[in-house]
């Protein structure tokens, strides 16, 4: 009898030890498995962070910086990095291999030069191919305006006054270089009035800026009597506009935008370009004088 009880106790002890071993085994593997499952999720979250490089005309500096703050709430994983300069300079940088996801030009000419869907007659004289087809849009319209320093010391009230002052040699005008869209629009205004830029430059009544911001600064600092800039830049700088050029004088001032085919973040670039056509961004553009076209 005693032997039977001893045998039963031994068997019970063996089963208890076996059962405990079975229950403890999964506990030893649960922590590593959980950590292994979390690691890929953390890596994925890090990979989703995107730096989006936007090359934009200098005249868009204030508006795009404001929009960038708004867009952070829409796409917190996207960091917008802007390169603001004259459209001609930006075009050259793209052609020389600079990283860029989106290009916004202050005139069609610079975008056309990068658009592989166009031939020489369309403006792509060198056969460049950088525009991601299907993404190009006409985003905004601006106005070419005549601005004067505070107090308007020279008493210039119109383009007609500007022309008379230049012909008399009694005023100094600031304008953009010939490779800058605002300078090219100014040249068209000269042609409209029959003015010869070479003669005016030789007589010392013109100064130049490498982009519209430099021209705006010359007017703000009263280094010149007037300057031809965009209406939006005059607004941002708090300058007085005395006249606005008509389409007959210099054509429409269209800002095309496109995702470039060299982008490494096509989905994010398309999403931001789409946001620029939406109501929130359009309200910002309109507040400084741009006219959204979409």
């Amino acid at each position: 009898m005693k032997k039977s009880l001893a045998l039963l106790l031994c068997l019970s002890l063996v089963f208890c030890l076996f059962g405990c071993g079975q229950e403890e085994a999964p506990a030893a593997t649960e922590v590593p498995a959980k950590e292994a499952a979390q690691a890929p999720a953390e890596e994925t979250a890090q990979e989703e962070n995107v730096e989006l490089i936007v090359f934009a005309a200098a005249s868009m500096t204030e508006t795009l910086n404001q929009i960038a703050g708004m867009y952070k709430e829409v796409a917190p994983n996207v960091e917008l990095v802007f390169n603001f300069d004259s459209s001609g300079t930006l075009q050259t940088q793209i052609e020389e291999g600079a990283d860029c996801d989106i290009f916004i030009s202050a005139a069609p000419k610079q975008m056309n030069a990068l658009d592989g869907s166009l031939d020489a007659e369309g403006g792509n004289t060198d056969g460049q191919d950088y525009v991601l087809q299907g993404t190009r849009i006409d985003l905004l319209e601006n106005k070419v305006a005549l601005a004067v320093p505070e107090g308007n010391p020279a008493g210039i009230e119109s383009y007609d006054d500007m022309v008379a002052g230049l012909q008399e040699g009694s005023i100094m005008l600031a304008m953009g270089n010939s490779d800058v869209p605002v300078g090219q629009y100014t040249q068209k205004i000269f042609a409209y009035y029959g003015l010869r830029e070479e003669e005016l430059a030789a007589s010392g009544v013109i100064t130049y800026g490498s982009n519209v911001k430099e021209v705006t600064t010359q007017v703000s600092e009263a280094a010149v009597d007037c300057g031809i800039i965009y209406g939006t830049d005059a607004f941002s700088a708090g300058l007085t506009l005395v006249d606005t050029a008509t389409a007959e004088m210099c054509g429409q001032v269209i800002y095309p935008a496109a995702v470039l085919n060299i982008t490494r973040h096509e989905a994010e670039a398309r999403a931001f370009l789409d946001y620029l056509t939406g109501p929130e961004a359009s309200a910002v553009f309109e507040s400084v004088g741009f006219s959204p076209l979409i």
Side-chain angles (χ1 to χ4, degrees), residues 59-64 66-67 139-145 213 229-239 241 244-245 252-255 280-293:
S59 51
M60 302 186 73
T61 302
E62 292 80 9
T63 51
L64 284 183
Q66 182 178 345
I67 288 170
L139 181 63
L140 302 166
E141 182 178 5
N142 208 340
K143 298 295 182 183
V144 177
K213 293 301 182 187
I229 59 178
Y230 297 121
T232 54
D233 289 284
F235 179 90
S236 298
L239 293 174
L241 292 182
T244 301
Q252 281 186 287
V253 184
I254 303 298
Y255 284 54
E280 294 86 1
S282 294
V284 174
F285 290 134
E286 289 175 343
S287 70
V288 301
F290 280 114
S291 297
L293 297 177

Side-chain angles (χ1 to χ4, degrees), residues 86 186 205 273:
S86 73
T186 301
V205 295
L273 189 56

Side-chain angles (χ1 to χ4, degrees), residues 58-200:
S59 51
M60 302 186 73
T61 302
E62 292 80 9
T63 51
L64 284 183
N65 278 325
Q66 182 178 345
I67 288 170
M70 298 160 52
Y71 194 64
K72 197 66 178 176
E73 298 181 5
V74 177
N77 66 310
V78 175
E79 179 185 358
L80 295 170
V81 178
F82 294 116
N83 179 18
F84 297 109
D85 211 320
S86 73
S87 300
T89 298
L90 297 176
Q91 174 197 332
T92 299
Q93 291 174 355
I94 292 169
E95 292 171 342
E96 291 178 347
D99 289 335
C100 178
D101 298 293
I102 295 174
F103 179 39
I104 309 175
S105 172
K109 178 180 179 180
Q110 289 72 28
M111 185 68 78
N112 289 351
L114 301 175
D115 192 341
S117 70
L118 302 177
D119 56 17
E121 292 183 3
N124 191 339
T125 56
D126 297 324
Q128 303 279 15
D129 184 17
Y130 288 92
V131 172
L132 183 63
Q133 296 306 311
T135 67
R136 178 174 175 172
I137 58 173
D138 286 340
L139 181 63
L140 302 166
E141 182 178 5
N142 208 340
K143 298 295 182 183
V144 177
L146 183 62
V148 296
E150 183 178 358
N152 193 7
I156 299 169
E157 300 294 342
S158 65
Y159 277 110
D160 290 341
D161 289 347
M162 178 200 75
V163 171
L166 289 174
Q167 291 174 329
E168 294 169 0
S170 60
I171 67 168
M172 180 73 73
L173 168 74
M175 64 175 284
N177 292 336
S178 60
D179 63 339
V180 179
V182 74
Q184 294 160 0
Y185 290 124
T186 301
Q187 290 175 327
K188 292 180 180 179
I189 292 172
F190 284 173
Y192 176 82
Y193 280 102
L195 297 175
R196 296 181 61 84
E197 181 184 352
E198 297 82 0
E199 294 177 0
L200 295 174

